Amino acid sequence: MKQHVLVIGAGIIGACIAYELARAGQRVTLLEAASPAAGITRWCPGGVRQQWGSDLNILLVRDSLPFFHRIAEFDAALHFERCGYIFLSYSAAGEDYARQLVERQQRLGVDAQLADVETLLHLCPSLNTDGLLSASYGPDDGFVNNPVRLTQAIVEAAQEHGASLVQGQASALLSNGGRITGVQTDHGPIYAETTVLAAGQGARALAASVGLELPLHPEERRLHYLTGAPEGYCRPFLASSDHQWAGKQLGEAFYMSRLGELPPDDETFKALTFEHGARVLKGLEQLQTTHVVHGFYSSTPDFQAIVDVPMSHPGLILSVGFNGNGFMMAPANARLVTDLVLEQRPHYDFTDYRLDRFKGQIHVETAVI
């Protein structure tokens, strides 16, 4: 039965949800405070990886990959680079963790392997192998060349299927008799039979407006961008939790980040990324800094998303708190949310994403970058 569904937030999560719901024949209103991809999505480099420590995270990315392979259908300028992700281990604990990652992925049908040094140097000739004990490699992982443009193209596709894009600042959810009935905006109320909250950083305040507490907090991330990377310098994405560093070549550009606690200023941040990166990659000192990008994840205590239909607030569906990783999961997550809107049997067991998990012992996602 056709119903009016309001989706709050036109980042990649909300855009994909609006697209799937419109394709399913629903009347969809997509509300965005600024413009599509103007929030968390605009900081996204475009990474898509299946190497996770939780089954549901792996499944959502695995099942999103076919979507990313056909993004040129949305916009001919878009493409997915199958470059691979490599998690490097320089400690016994890291070596054991790499093996667990690979075993988990293989169990779920993902092409994953423990790569030897010869394979790693073929993929990344500049890799520093001193002290390297092991590495997990996902050859099917990769990058979308323009996440913002893709998000905008998905919104346009949703509109072609009948969705309406409305600009407005959401200030509070609306309720009547305990049921969520829409949202108040700076241009007036918008009413709907079902409201999907996908508002990124604004989700916590909107939920609180109807007495629903969401354990979300902003978590700063920075990316150090450089130029001067020679062709073939290092094609895969690299990450090392032992050295608290991650990096990726993007054409002549290269970006890198510090994993874990960030220093208070950008100069120290840049120095640390060079220092720690030199333990992973040779030749980093030849690259020149261009700028540092600041952004904030909307994070949860266990670094896993909240996707749920809270029984205390009928008419509301949550799709928030993706910890900066929503881009790679968004297409499959949209199918899950569509199932919840239409009250169909979900494609996935989403127990790990339910809000009530925080009442008990949580299982923390460990493969966080």
Side-chain angles (χ1 to χ4, degrees):
M1 185 174 69
K2 188 171 185 176
Q3 59 177 305
H4 182 200
V5 184
L6 168 64
V7 180
I8 304 175
I12 188 66
I13 293 293
C16 284
I17 291 170
Y19 175 66
E20 284 296 326
L21 286 169
R23 289 179 65 212
Q26 303 304 297
R27 179 187 164 207
V28 179
T29 298
L30 178 60
L31 176 67
E32 169 56 40
S35 59
I40 297 172
T41 304
R42 81 182 187 274
W43 307 117
C44 176
V48 179
R49 64 177 168 102
Q50 300 168 94
Q51 298 192 63
W52 288 97
S54 118
D55 285 5
L56 184 53
N57 286 343
I58 293 172
L59 291 172
L60 288 181
V61 182
R62 183 198 71 183
D63 294 350
S64 293
L65 270 177
F67 179 94
F68 290 117
H69 284 300
R70 62 179 182 86
I71 56 176
E73 297 174 11
F74 291 93
D75 184 328
L78 295 168
H79 68 267
F80 176 77
E81 177 196 6
R82 182 178 172 270
C83 59
Y85 265 64
I86 298 174
F87 282 70
L88 302 160
S89 303
Y90 296 84
S91 65
E95 185 177 23
D96 185 56
Y97 184 62
R99 177 184 54 77
Q100 292 176 27
L101 279 181
V102 169
E103 290 176 353
R104 182 182 290 269
Q105 291 170 83
Q106 290 177 342
R107 173 171 56 81
L108 295 172
V110 172
D111 184 5
Q113 56 195 262
L114 290 173
D116 57 28
V117 170
E118 182 180 357
T119 299
L120 294 172
L121 289 175
H122 173 74
L123 295 166
C124 181
S126 300
L127 184 68
N128 186 349
T129 59
D130 294 344
L132 182 63
L133 297 180
S134 181
S136 63
Y137 172 48
D140 292 333
D141 299 341
F143 272 72
V144 170
N145 66 317
N146 193 327
V148 170
R149 187 161 179 165
L150 174 58
T151 304
Q152 293 166 344
I154 294 170
V155 171
E156 291 172 4
Q159 291 175 289
E160 291 172 3
H161 284 279
S164 298
L165 175 64
V166 175
Q167 186 176 21
Q169 179 68 54
S171 57
L173 295 177
L174 300 174
S175 65
N176 184 9
R179 182 177 181 84
I180 303 304
T181 56
V183 67
Q184 181 66 42
T185 78
D186 52 350
H187 299 303
I190 300 175
Y191 296 103
E193 292 158 272
T194 301
T195 298
V196 179
L197 184 56
Q201 296 291 358
R204 182 177 181 180
L206 287 173
S209 69
V210 288
L212 180 62
E213 182 179 353
L214 298 182
L216 299 172
H217 65 275
E219 185 168 338
E220 185 186 5
R221 284 290 187 271
R222 296 181 212 168
L223 298 177
H224 179 185
Y225 278 87
L226 309 101
T227 189
E231 184 177 355
Y233 178 56
C234 189
R235 189 164 179 258
F237 179 95
L238 302 179
S240 168
S241 59
D242 293 309
H243 295 317
Q244 295 185 303
W245 181 90
K248 171 72 174 81
Q249 182 174 3
L250 301 169
E252 293 183 359
F254 191 91
Y255 83 84
M256 54 185 179
S257 185
R258 175 175 169 80
L259 308 181
E261 186 176 353
L262 294 174
D265 62 278
D266 283 353
E267 291 306 312
T268 304
F269 171 73
K270 289 186 289 186
L272 284 172
T273 55
F274 270 120
E275 177 188 344
H276 289 238
R279 302 170 189 170
V280 178
L281 269 180
K282 300 174 183 177
L284 269 181
E285 70 281 356
Q286 300 175 25
L287 278 57
Q288 301 84 43
T289 295
T290 58
H291 61 289
V292 173
V293 170
H294 295 246
F296 288 85
Y297 291 173
S298 177
S299 294
T300 62
D302 60 1
F303 299 103
Q304 298 204 76
I306 300 172
V307 180
D308 202 0
V309 184
M311 298 298 292
S312 59
H313 292 72
L316 177 65
I317 294 177
L318 304 171
S319 184
V320 297
F322 283 84
N323 305 279
N325 300 299
F327 180 82
M328 64 188 75
M329 305 174 184
N333 174 73
R335 292 192 286 273
L336 169 59
V337 172
T338 297
D339 289 338
L340 299 179
V341 170
L342 301 181
E343 298 183 348
Q344 300 174 159
R345 181 178 179 180
H347 280 72
Y348 306 95
D349 176 0
F350 62 103
T351 302
D352 287 346
Y353 283 5
R354 287 188 178 274
L355 181 59
D356 63 5
R357 72 184 187 266
F358 297 105
K359 296 177 181 178
Q361 184 175 0
I362 59 176
H363 303 284
V364 177
E365 170 60 66
T366 53
V368 177
I369 297 177

